[in-house]
């Protein structure tokens, strides 16, 4: 299973739970069982999942309707008419824009609340701790606590997509731990580093009947064994703590580079670090030059460069990366590329 599978089965669970509560726990009606076979209400209700502009939750039919990062992922493919709302666009450095960023997050939370009010059949809100594919967009813990409060008030499930951020990349096992939520998410999805795809959840999201929400492998026990050994290695070698220290080292160095190069919006959580260059062309040039220097790095958004090192990435590796980055930036500056 992939991250899309994790999200889509979680969407289904949220919708099943929502309808189970609406039905007050009563059995399906004959009309529901009959109408769903031809994709009609009431058996196939017009429920929705709310997502955020800039989000990436997968490329399958349901998850693609909650993906809003790049048109090339979506064009030519039919989509559910599900609600989308704004994700904060923060200004950097954060310490210089406290009031503006607080106002931006307040605006987005008000928009979320209004959107849920006008979409009474919304079963869940899904969000990434860091909008990875959409440009490594971050928000404050206060913003995510605001989402939790609004979803509680509206009776809507809160899903956190940790497909990219889970298993230590943020400097904690789960990136949403940084938020210090008063109430935990209703579900957290995972894949990638976890060696398998799935989600853990509140008891209310457990299907009320068997045979409703599973796959061919019934949980894929072989992958679960891989996950068990992966978690054992991560714990024995303190890799989550290592990610925190390595990420902090890179972040501080990049903030220093801002003073000498047109490198802006340095942001990060653990080793989930990114920065912007002046133009998309400059970003693409840097990625190509870094590759020639022996470092594979990636882009996201329109002009961002992002780091996605392995958990075994140490301060020693970080210094190699930073040295090569410094040489490439000097080369580009002297050439007039930035």
């Amino acid at each position: 299973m992939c991250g899309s599978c994790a999200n889509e089965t979680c969407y289904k669970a949220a919708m099943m739970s929502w309808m189970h509560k609406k039905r007050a726990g009563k059995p399906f009606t004959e009309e529901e069982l009959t109408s769903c076979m031809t994709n009609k209400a009431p058996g196939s209700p017009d429920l929705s999942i709310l997502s955020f502009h800039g989000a990436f939750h997968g490329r399958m039919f349901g998850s693609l309707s909650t993906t809003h990062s790049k048109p090339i992922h979506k064009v030519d493919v039919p989509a559910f008419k599900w609600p989308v709302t704004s994700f904060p666009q923060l200004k950097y450095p954060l310490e210089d824009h406290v009031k503006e960023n607080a106002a931006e997050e307040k605006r987005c939370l008000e928009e979320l609340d209004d959107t849920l009010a006008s979409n009474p059949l919304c079963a869940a809100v899904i969000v990434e701790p860091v909008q990875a594919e959409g440009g490594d967009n971050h928000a404050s813990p206060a913003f995510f606590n605001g989402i939790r409060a609004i979803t509680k008030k509206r009776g809507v499930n809160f899903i956190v997509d940790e497909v990219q951020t889970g298993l230590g990349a943020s400097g904690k096992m789960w990136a949403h731990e940084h938020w210090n939520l008063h109430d935990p998410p209703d579900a957290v999805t995972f894949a990638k580093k976890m060696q398998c795809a799935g989600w853990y959840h509140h008891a209310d999201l457990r299907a009320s009947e068997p045979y409703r929400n599973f796959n061919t492998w019934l949980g894929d026990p072989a992958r679960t064994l891989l996950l068990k050994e992966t978690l054992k290695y991560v714990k024995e070698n303190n890799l989550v703590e290592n990610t925190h220290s390595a990420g902090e080292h890179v972040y501080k160095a990049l903030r220093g580079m801002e003073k000498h190069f047109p490198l802006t919006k340095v942001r990060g959580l653990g080793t989930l670090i990114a920065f912007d260059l002046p133009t998309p062309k400059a970003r693409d040039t840097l990625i190509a030059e870094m590759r020639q220097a022996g470092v594979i790095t990636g882009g996201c958004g329109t002009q961002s460069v992002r780091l996605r090192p392995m958990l075994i990435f140490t301060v020693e590796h970080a210094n190699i990366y930073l040295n090569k980055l410094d040489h490439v930036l000097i080369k580009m500056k002297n050439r007039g590329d930035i």
Side-chain angles (χ1 to χ4, degrees):
M1 288 174 65
C2 59
S4 296
C5 298
N7 285 333
E8 294 214 4
T9 52
C10 192
Y11 295 175
K12 289 168 60 182
M15 292 175 176
M16 291 172 187
S17 172
W18 198 94
M19 290 300 295
H20 182 73
K21 291 176 182 176
K22 181 181 179 183
R23 209 180 281 117
K26 296 178 181 179
F28 309 115
T29 65
E30 187 59 36
E31 185 182 11
E32 287 173 327
L33 294 172
T34 302
S35 60
C36 74
M37 299 305 291
T38 53
N39 303 330
K40 296 177 181 177
S44 295
D46 193 22
L47 300 180
S48 64
I49 305 293
L50 183 147
S51 50
F52 290 86
H53 290 295
F56 183 92
H57 298 293
R59 307 189 197 204
M60 297 174 70
F61 264 105
S63 57
L64 192 60
S65 291
T66 54
T67 287
H68 316 286
S69 52
K70 291 184 176 68
I72 196 65
H73 297 148
K74 297 174 66 73
V75 67
D76 292 337
V77 182
F80 292 110
K81 306 302 185 289
W82 290 349
V84 190
T85 191
S86 298
F87 191 86
Q89 299 300 302
L90 302 184
K91 295 182 178 180
Y92 292 85
L94 294 176
E95 62 270 19
D96 294 342
H97 300 90
V98 175
K99 289 184 178 180
E100 298 99 313
N101 289 338
E104 168 68 355
E105 293 190 338
K106 182 175 183 291
R107 179 190 70 81
C108 292
L109 288 172
E110 290 173 349
E111 182 182 331
L112 169 64
D113 197 24
D114 291 343
T115 303
L116 286 175
S118 59
N119 287 271
L121 296 180
C122 183
V125 171
I126 185 166
V127 71
E128 301 159 273
V130 177
Q131 282 193 331
E133 186 73 19
D136 262 36
N137 303 317
H138 291 249
S140 73
F143 175 73
F144 294 106
N145 273 274
I147 296 176
R148 173 74 284 191
I150 291 169
T151 52
K152 276 283 188 181
K153 179 181 76 171
R154 295 289 179 185
V156 175
N157 291 294
F158 180 32
I159 303 171
V160 177
D161 179 349
E162 292 248 29
V163 170
Q164 282 228 18
T165 55
L167 214 170
S170 70
K172 290 185 180 290
M173 183 66 181
W174 302 102
H176 74 269
E177 292 181 73
H178 288 279
W179 307 340
N180 295 314
L181 293 174
H182 296 299
D183 292 298
D186 295 294
V188 176
T189 61
F190 56 82
K192 296 189 185 296
K193 287 183 176 67
M194 296 289 283
Q195 306 301 309
C196 61
W199 43 283
Y200 59 92
H201 56 91
H202 190 280
D204 286 351
L205 265 66
R206 185 175 182 178
S208 54
E209 299 81 16
Y211 202 63
R212 297 196 71 192
N213 200 8
F214 68 104
N215 70 349
T216 302
W217 308 110
L218 301 175
D220 202 351
R223 287 285 182 177
T224 306
L225 289 173
L226 288 175
L227 172 58
K228 181 181 178 182
E229 292 304 312
T230 298
L231 292 175
K232 179 182 176 183
Y233 188 89
V234 168
K235 185 176 181 179
E236 289 177 348
N237 292 275
N238 300 313
L239 295 189
V240 176
E241 294 80 1
N242 172 72
T243 298
H244 171 77
S245 58
E248 188 174 53
H249 180 75
V250 173
Y251 177 81
K252 288 180 179 178
L254 290 174
R255 288 299 306 270
M257 287 185 179
E258 283 184 305
K259 301 173 183 178
H260 307 289
F261 304 104
L263 178 154
T264 60
K265 294 180 66 175
V266 175
R267 53 210 186 267
L269 206 59
T271 54
L272 297 169
I273 297 173
F275 57 88
D276 280 15
L277 287 178
T279 65
K281 182 179 180 182
R283 187 272 307 276
D284 294 344
T285 299
L286 183 135
I287 290 173
E289 291 284 353
M290 288 294 285
R291 187 179 296 117
Q292 290 299 314
V295 178
I296 297 175
T297 190
C300 60
T302 56
Q303 58 203 65
S304 297
V305 177
R306 63 176 174 178
L307 281 71
R308 289 297 184 272
M310 294 183 285
L311 298 180
I312 57 173
F313 181 81
T314 65
V315 170
E316 182 180 359
H317 298 123
N319 286 331
I320 295 171
Y321 168 79
L322 292 166
N323 183 56
K324 289 181 180 291
L325 177 63
D326 184 67
H327 279 83
V328 166
L329 287 170
I330 291 172
K331 182 179 178 181
M332 290 177 64
K333 188 176 182 179
N334 290 340
R335 206 166 56 200
D337 292 334
I338 53 175

